[in-house]
Amino acid sequence: MVDFGFAPIEINIHDLDKADLRLSAWISERDETFKLCIACGSCTATCTAGKFTKFSFREMCHSIRRGEISEAIAESEKCMLCGKCTLACPRNVNTRNIVKLVRKANQNFKV
Ligand code: SF4
Ligand code: SF4
């Protein structure tokens, strides 16, 4: 086989029928703007914490929707709560509040 120096990325399948969606439901109950996110990435592009870490609000939301609760909670600790992403979001998602909820959820979701 010819080595082109790159390869297709590994297939990553998420079975949402088996995902643990407790955190997603818990956040949606407390801040309905969570449901408005279209994963456009504007928040991530402007993120202050993203300049110093690999933190991405969009990726954290993906983790929540995939049921990766402990990953999402761990990621939320990297946010500096500056609120810049709230200004960048075209869907008026209350990003800062959602990060705070994920941190608070740490006390309720022992995973
Ligand atoms: S900017 Fe708003 S809609 Fe876009 S990924 Fe971030 S939270 Fe979601
Ligand atoms: S509030 Fe958090 S996620 Fe939003 S821009 Fe600031 S550091 Fe990034």
Side-chain angles (χ1 to χ4, degrees):
M1 189 167 171
V2 180
D3 182 4
F4 292 103
F6 59 88
I9 58 170
E10 248 178 67
I11 295 174
N12 202 352
I13 296 172
H14 299 281
D15 186 346
L16 296 183
D17 287 332
K18 292 181 183 158
D20 180 354
L21 300 178
R22 288 176 300 148
L23 179 58
S24 179
W26 191 85
I27 291 170
S28 298
E29 274 170 26
R30 285 157 182 79
D31 191 330
E32 58 186 18
T33 69
F34 176 64
K35 295 178 189 164
L36 300 178
C37 176
I38 53 170
C40 70
S42 297
C43 52
T44 299
T46 58
C47 180
T48 311
K51 299 243 181 286
F52 307 103
T53 71
K54 288 189 174 167
F55 179 67
S56 159
F57 182 86
R58 181 176 64 167
E59 287 303 318
M60 185 190 73
C61 289
H62 283 326
S63 290
I64 295 167
R65 293 193 175 111
R66 290 177 193 141
E68 299 162 353
I69 295 177
S70 49
E71 287 87 344
I73 290 172
E75 279 300 294
S76 73
E77 293 299 331
K78 295 177 185 168
C79 171
M80 298 158 76
L81 297 176
C82 69
K84 202 159 62 167
C85 52
T86 310
L87 303 174
C89 179
R91 299 280 289 167
N92 287 329
V93 176
N94 196 345
T95 48
R96 193 170 173 273
N97 187 47
I98 289 166
V99 171
K100 286 167 79 179
L101 282 172
V102 176
R103 289 182 183 176
K104 198 173 169 190
N106 197 10
Q107 297 147 21
N108 301 318
F109 292 87
K110 306 284 181 206
V111 287

